[in-house]
Amino acid sequence: MRIGKVVQYDAMRKLAGFVFALALAGCSADGGAPPSTSPPPLPTPIESSVVTPTEAPSPSPAACATFGLVNASMPGIVLHLATQPDRNEVLGLNGSAVLGSERFDRGDWHQSAPGSAIEVTRAEGLLVSTYPLDQGELPLCIASATIDAAPFSPIGASPAASALVPLGATDTLIADLSAFPFLAPSQPGEYIVRVVLTFATDPGPSSQETFFRLRVDTPALVVGGSATAPVACGGLSAHPPKAFLSVDSGSPIVGEGGSFTWGTTAGDGPAPPGTRVEIEHGAALTLQIEDDLCAAWWSVQLAAPAGPYQGPEAFLDVVPAHPGYGDPGKASRFRLDTLPTGNWVVAAGFEFVNSKGDPYGQTTNFWNVVVR
């Protein structure tokens, strides 16, 4: 196996003892968008502060599989702590891609959801690799990698080129690296990390741009808003409850429903664009569940409007989330934090229990909120 020189940025300390034999469960990433006529730009490594091969981590040989394009979809990309390469992986949010001779333009920047953030220390070692396309398969062989980061933006803004922090890159095609090591940023803060991996394919090469969220020696963002049950909780009905958004205590506006489960029935499909609501900046927003039904778990998040062939990408909580099944809560009213100026999707997910406390159903609800 030929290992090309690895360029490491922000490398104040060395990585050692990497284990590249990754045993991951399988999944398949959807690449269903039609090709665009203009390719997405790929980041160019900044050639300052280059670490020589003797200073950079020395990847150990490990088995990987050739990407043969047979599934006509791009792989999922995962990020691990270097000390835990075979567990606790986080699946990235895929952006633009090149699949053989086709290009898929999904915009220049994406921000992962708050719950997907990885907490690390400054300059902590990380590994990026692919999620095997099928159960039991090897990760795909990486031909090259370019990794940079920018501070998380609470208003969903794409960073200027000057704000990007280069974290690592290969300077030659490698073609048979099963995972790529790099270091987290050396300054504390919340970051979005952009990873661009290329793969030796025929035709090719193919490439995938993927985004991760890192909290470097910093706590999670303080979230405004609140969840309460100011009146007695209503009982379950024969249909999943609707959700309503009120602006400055005005008339309730029903959200556009998405996927749901309710008892023995279910509905699934792409997330809708959401009921359009135009408001002034600073307006007070409140969500209410139909019939005063109380949710046991909830998530109310801000998302960028969906591009073609993709759903909205929630990147900011506007009400503190109450996820999971271990500790059910009780709330039927939700006061949202002030939304920034812009064109947004408010996505609210609620999960409900029956009288015995057993999970009974869940709903998703969407509003396209334009803040002037």
Side-chain angles (χ1 to χ4, degrees):
M1 180 176 77
R2 180 177 65 86
I3 301 294
K5 184 177 77 173
V6 177
V7 180
Q8 278 305 93
Y9 304 100
D10 199 18
M12 298 301 295
R13 64 182 187 181
K14 300 177 183 178
L15 293 177
F18 287 135
V19 179
F20 288 109
L22 305 179
L24 303 176
C27 77
S28 176
D30 180 16
S36 68
T37 56
S38 57
L42 299 182
T44 301
I46 299 175
E47 294 299 334
S48 60
S49 185
V50 175
V51 177
T52 67
T54 56
E55 295 172 315
S58 299
S60 302
C64 59
T66 301
F67 187 12
L69 298 180
V70 292
N71 290 329
S73 63
M74 291 302 300
I77 311 299
V78 292
L79 187 64
H80 315 253
L81 296 179
T83 55
Q84 299 174 340
D86 58 349
R87 61 194 179 116
N88 295 336
E89 70 274 2
V90 172
L91 186 65
L93 176 62
N94 280 354
S96 298
V98 177
L99 184 62
S101 59
E102 295 184 326
R103 299 178 183 272
F104 303 87
D105 188 351
R106 290 179 173 169
D108 64 344
W109 195 257
H110 304 268
Q111 296 200 131
S112 306
S116 69
I118 304 175
E119 296 184 358
V120 299
T121 59
R122 283 173 281 189
E124 184 168 0
L126 296 163
L127 286 175
V128 65
S129 65
T130 69
Y131 211 60
L133 296 175
D134 293 302
Q135 181 71 31
E137 287 194 354
L138 296 169
L140 297 179
C141 296
I142 298 170
S144 69
T146 302
I147 303 174
D148 53 22
F152 168 77
S153 168
I155 61 171
S158 297
S162 59
L164 293 173
V165 179
L167 300 180
T170 53
D171 68 344
T172 61
L173 288 180
I174 296 173
D176 53 6
L177 189 63
S178 63
F180 181 76
F182 67 99
L183 301 181
S186 62
Q187 298 299 316
E190 186 142 354
Y191 293 87
I192 300 298
V193 173
R194 177 174 60 182
V195 173
V196 179
L197 300 183
T198 66
F199 309 92
T201 57
D202 185 16
S206 296
S207 66
Q208 176 65 61
E209 180 184 60
T210 307
F211 297 83
F212 298 91
R213 191 160 174 165
L214 287 183
R215 294 192 183 115
V216 181
D217 282 339
T218 193
L221 294 172
V222 176
V223 179
S226 62
T228 59
V231 297
C233 297
L236 299 176
S237 63
H239 62 82
K242 298 176 182 177
F244 302 92
L245 176 67
S246 297
V247 181
D248 291 330
S249 301
S251 300
I253 303 166
V254 65
E256 189 171 5
S259 298
F260 73 93
T261 62
W262 198 250
T264 58
T265 63
D268 195 11
T275 306
R276 186 175 176 86
V277 182
E278 297 190 11
I279 67 172
E280 296 297 322
H281 183 263
L285 301 178
T286 305
L287 292 180
Q288 177 179 344
I289 302 175
E290 185 179 19
D291 298 329
D292 294 322
L293 189 61
C294 285
W297 303 280
W298 55 83
S299 174
V300 184
Q301 296 182 312
L302 192 67
Y309 311 101
Q310 64 188 95
E313 297 169 355
F315 64 87
L316 184 68
D317 290 320
V318 289
V319 171
H322 191 72
Y325 287 97
D327 180 26
K330 185 179 291 185
S332 60
R333 303 287 193 281
F334 305 85
R335 180 185 62 81
L336 277 61
D337 197 10
T338 300
L339 301 187
T341 301
N343 183 16
W344 309 110
V345 172
V346 171
F350 304 119
E351 299 184 56
F352 305 90
V353 297
N354 60 21
S355 59
K356 298 179 179 179
D358 298 324
Y360 186 81
Q362 60 84 27
T363 65
T364 55
N365 312 268
F366 301 86
W367 294 263
N368 176 204
V369 181
V370 180
V371 185
R372 305 296 186 187

